[in-house]
Amino acid sequence: MPDDRPVPLDEYPVHQVPLSMKHVATGDRNAYDRCIFHLFDHSGRALLILGLGVYPNTGVIDAYATLRTGDTLHAVRASDALGDDRSNLSVGPLRITVEEPLRRLRLTCAADPDDADSLAYDIEWSADFPALWEPHHIQRRGGRLTLEGRRFVQAGGAAGVIRAGGDEIAVTAGEWTATRDRSWGVRPIPGEAAGRLDEDFPTEGFHWIWCPVRFDDRFLMVITQEDADGYRTLNDATLVRPGHPDRQLGWPQADITYRSGTRHPERAVVHLMDPETRKPLELGVETLTSLPLAVGAGYPPADDWQHGTWRGRDWVDRRTYDLADPAAHPLAAYGVIDHAARFTLDGRVGHGIFEHGTFGRHDPSGFADFGSMAP
């Protein structure tokens, strides 16, 4: 007889389908539910990215934290069998505690008892703006649905402490910006054979911008995704001002200046449109520091660990990477990279994340193939 008893969340009136909260409404092995947090100081000294995800149809829960200081990246990853209590957001030394939904969360990572220099932190994350829905995200390869995600984004601040490499970094309210993203649905995880669709519909190119920006009195979210020929499959630019209706700022167009011989953005201008005045707006972007999600954080095309993969019970892995040595992370440029950045808009200065991935062909940028780089 299968073990299908009620789980703790079944006590609450939150069901969307006639199933236990232990189950999701799809049998797709790629079902997921996860989050990501970005925290960084305004000088660009430190960038901390962390997250946690569950994969109900593969029975896995995992989490990660990566910290960049200078050219050193500290990483902690943990994975385990998914239990019945979905309100317990902890894996190994990593934990997320929801203290007040959509307002306050506590983020902790316990130190390695055998290594005083290991990454550890205890941080209170607090929202400064209401959560904002992102566009419903759908991708297909041929006739098959490969991604369908529901996401919201939120910006705020943080306070606490980070320890790594013998240093203690104070996370101070007002001097750090903190954003987060929650998403769930279906998203590819490793372990499935490529099959005919990969052969018939190969990926020629991918161009992505995900950009949450916090100003003192407003929050701006910009998203674009384009195919190799520039065809846009995802598009949004929404301005949030408490006490005012949200405003859509047109069809964002980004002019990105890449470091010569790379696809590393050093600065950018995102062109927007004010619907009230019908005048153009320019979002200026200056990158401060960067953290590739394919190094330590488990995003593809990472070759040492990816989200949703079974590593056995109680798996914990800690390591450091030298970001100054390209040979230490040869696949980083073929994944999404998160850049802590300073932004300007209509005379205001803000801070946020310029998440960018561009690989393969992208006609509007002049990239002809996977080997093409900026002049």
Side-chain angles (χ1 to χ4, degrees), residues 129-130 132 217-219 238-248 276 348:
F129 297 91
L132 174 70
D217 63 344
R218 61 197 60 198
F219 170 64
T238 299
L239 184 68
V240 176
R241 295 184 299 162
H244 300 268
D246 294 348
R247 284 196 297 170
Q248 292 180 313
E276 293 182 353
R348 295 174 173 82

Side-chain angles (χ1 to χ4, degrees), residues 248-326:
Q248 292 180 313
L249 301 185
W251 186 271
Q253 294 284 355
D255 291 328
I256 301 174
T257 300
Y258 295 98
R259 184 180 302 157
S260 180
T262 75
R263 296 198 192 185
H264 180 94
E266 294 186 325
R267 58 189 179 275
V269 176
V270 182
H271 300 277
L272 307 168
M273 179 64 69
D274 188 326
E276 293 182 353
T277 64
R278 299 194 177 186
K279 293 183 178 179
L281 291 171
E282 290 188 350
L283 177 68
V285 186
E286 176 193 356
T287 60
L288 302 172
T289 190
S290 307
L291 206 163
L293 295 181
V295 182
Y299 286 79
D303 57 0
D304 55 0
W305 170 72
Q306 288 193 28
H307 302 148
T309 54
W310 176 240
R311 305 305 294 260
R313 295 179 182 272
D314 301 317
W315 178 76
V316 177
D317 179 72
R318 295 177 183 262
R319 61 182 65 194
T320 59
Y321 300 84
D322 180 4
L323 294 179
D325 178 11

Side-chain angles (χ1 to χ4, degrees), residues 112-142:
D112 183 345
D114 298 322
D115 183 2
D117 290 339
S118 63
L119 174 61
Y121 53 81
D122 189 342
I123 298 169
E124 184 94 355
W125 189 100
S126 58
D128 290 332
F129 297 91
L132 174 70
W133 286 116
E134 299 177 33
H136 197 88
H137 193 182
I138 293 177
Q139 288 183 192
R140 287 185 170 86
R141 177 166 288 188

Side-chain angles (χ1 to χ4, degrees), residues 334-367:
Y334 297 97
V336 170
I337 299 178
D338 285 354
H339 309 271
R342 181 182 296 112
F343 294 82
T344 56
L345 179 70
D346 199 23
R348 295 174 173 82
V349 176
H351 294 85
I353 294 294
F354 186 74
E355 181 176 278
H356 184 43
T358 179
F359 23 92
R361 185 179 125 234
H362 187 241
D363 295 345
S365 300
F367 297 132

Side-chain angles (χ1 to χ4, degrees), residues 28-32 34 55 139 141 144-148 185-192 298-300 306-308:
D28 194 317
R29 69 178 298 276
N30 295 308
Y32 82 104
R34 73 188 189 205
Y55 306 86
Q139 288 183 192
R141 177 166 288 188
R144 181 183 175 183
L145 180 71
T146 56
L147 186 152
E148 182 173 12
V186 172
R187 183 172 180 164
I189 58 176
E192 187 174 49
Y299 286 79
Q306 288 193 28
H307 302 148

